[in-house]
């Protein structure tokens, strides 16, 4: 493919953004470029598949039991390798005070021989890892927070910041093409990896999610555990043209939230992994700090909404590093509809025309 010298690289994009802040030190840009490098290295490992000898569970190769992470989930080799890539490709640069990851119970301390910086990096090194062995898209999710001033040894409490406090967030998707999708709070930009140059190139500037959609994503095998508002919403989608919504819906479930978020950023839709009653110890499947918050930041920056059903995800005060939460995000009007169903769970019975789905929320065809 011929080189187009007029395309914007991620480096150029970051430098041009930084020019708007003459006092910026450049630390933030260096951090993002290191995160991008970690993602490129994971993309290579994923792309080699079985040839790279990286598929399968971690710790299982010598006949021992597979290793289990803090979440109680079996770790894949690529979960572990991706975690190492994030840690070691970013720890040396002097921009970070500490890190936290889905794969580590406690915060990661920057080794003493490296300088410390003013940011915290929180990440899910490999999202959708059940898809690795079947060659379906996976990704990495990251969030950048500010470290408390003067902190030397980071602790859990330093990371317990609301989504609104994120400095930046993004994900890499390792699909047919590798992409990095980033927000620094001024919209959402998508970059595609040119595998020959090894550079992320700006291909999707200013992503915007259409406010309406007829596509939803949920793991229906959990339907018996759902709360009433979710049951109602999904039932109405399934009823299609013959039901209250008066239009047909399409359903998707990839089991990689990154891939679902990416589809929604590209063409709209709504994603739900709501709070349910499956396991009383787990109020939801997804983790607040390194899954829900960064994706919510991106979705909101692209004009969509992200909610627990009861409040904006970005406003939830975290209480622990690996806290789980119900997640609903995507096209604004659908998420608002689902929020209203949570506010008015008995809406079907209410005479109030405000809650009649054929009036207030009726979607024009
Ligand atoms: P991870 O691989 O980081 O543990 O995350 C997987 C998450 C998310 O990406 C996806 O939406 C969900 O788990 C899939 O869950 P089910 O297997 O219950 O469908
Ligand atoms: Mn994940
Ligand atoms: Mn993961």
């Amino acid at each position: 493919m011929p080189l187009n010298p007029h395309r914007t690289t991620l480096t150029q994009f970051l430098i041009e953004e930084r020019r708007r802040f003459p006092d910026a030190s450049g630390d933030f840009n260096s951090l993002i470029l290191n995160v991008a490098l970690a993602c490129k290295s994971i993309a290579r490992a994923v792309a080699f598949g079985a040839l790279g000898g990286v598929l399968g569970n971690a710790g299982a190769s010598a006949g021992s039991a597979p290793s289990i992470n803090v979440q109680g989930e079996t770790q894949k080799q690529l979960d572990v390798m991706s975690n190492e890539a994030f840690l070691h490709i970013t720890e040396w640069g002097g921009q970070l005070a500490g890190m936290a990851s889905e794969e580590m119970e406690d915060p990661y301390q920057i080794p003493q021989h490296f300088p410390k910086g003013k940011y915290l990096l929180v990440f899910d090194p490999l999202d959708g890892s059940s898809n690795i062995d079947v060659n379906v898209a996976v990704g990495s999710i990251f969030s950048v927070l500010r470290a408390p001033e003067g902190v030397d040894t980071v602790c859990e409490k330093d990371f317990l910041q609301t989504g609104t406090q994120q400095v930046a967030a993004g994900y890499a998707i390792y699909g047919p093409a590798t992409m990095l999708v980033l927000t620094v709070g001024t919209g959402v930009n998508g970059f595609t990896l040119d595998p020959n140059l090894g550079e992320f190139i700006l291909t999707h500037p200013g992503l915007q999610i259409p406010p309406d959609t007829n596509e939803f994503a949920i793991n229906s095998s959990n339907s018996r555990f759902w709360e009433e508002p979710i049951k109602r919403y999904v039932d109405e989608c399934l009823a299609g043209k013959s039901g209250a919504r008066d239009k047909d819906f399409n359903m998707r479930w990839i089991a990689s939230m990154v891939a679902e978020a990416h589809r929604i950023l590209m063409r709209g839709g709504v994603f739900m992994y709501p709070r349910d009653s499956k396991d009383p110890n787990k109020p939801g499947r997804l983790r607040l700090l390194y899954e829900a918050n960064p994706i919510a930041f991106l979705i909101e920056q692209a004009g969509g909404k992200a909610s627990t059903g009861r409040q904006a995800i970005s406003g939830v005060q975290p209480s622990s590093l690996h806290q789980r939460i119900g997640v609903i995000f995507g096209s604004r009007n659908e998420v608002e509809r689902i929020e209203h169903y949570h506010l008015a769970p008995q809406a079907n019975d209410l005479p109030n025309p405000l809650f009649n789905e054929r009036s207030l929320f009726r979607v024009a065809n």
Side-chain angles (χ1 to χ4, degrees), residues 102 124 127 287 291:
E102 177 189 325
D124 174 356
D127 177 66
R287 280 62 51 121
E291 291 180 318

Side-chain angles (χ1 to χ4, degrees), residues 73 102 124-129 139 141 256-258 285-287 290-291:
E73 295 162 352
E102 177 189 325
D124 174 356
L126 205 64
D127 177 66
S129 50
I141 311 172
S256 278
M257 186 181 55
V258 158
R285 165 87 168 84
L286 299 167
R287 280 62 51 121
Y290 42 81
E291 291 180 318

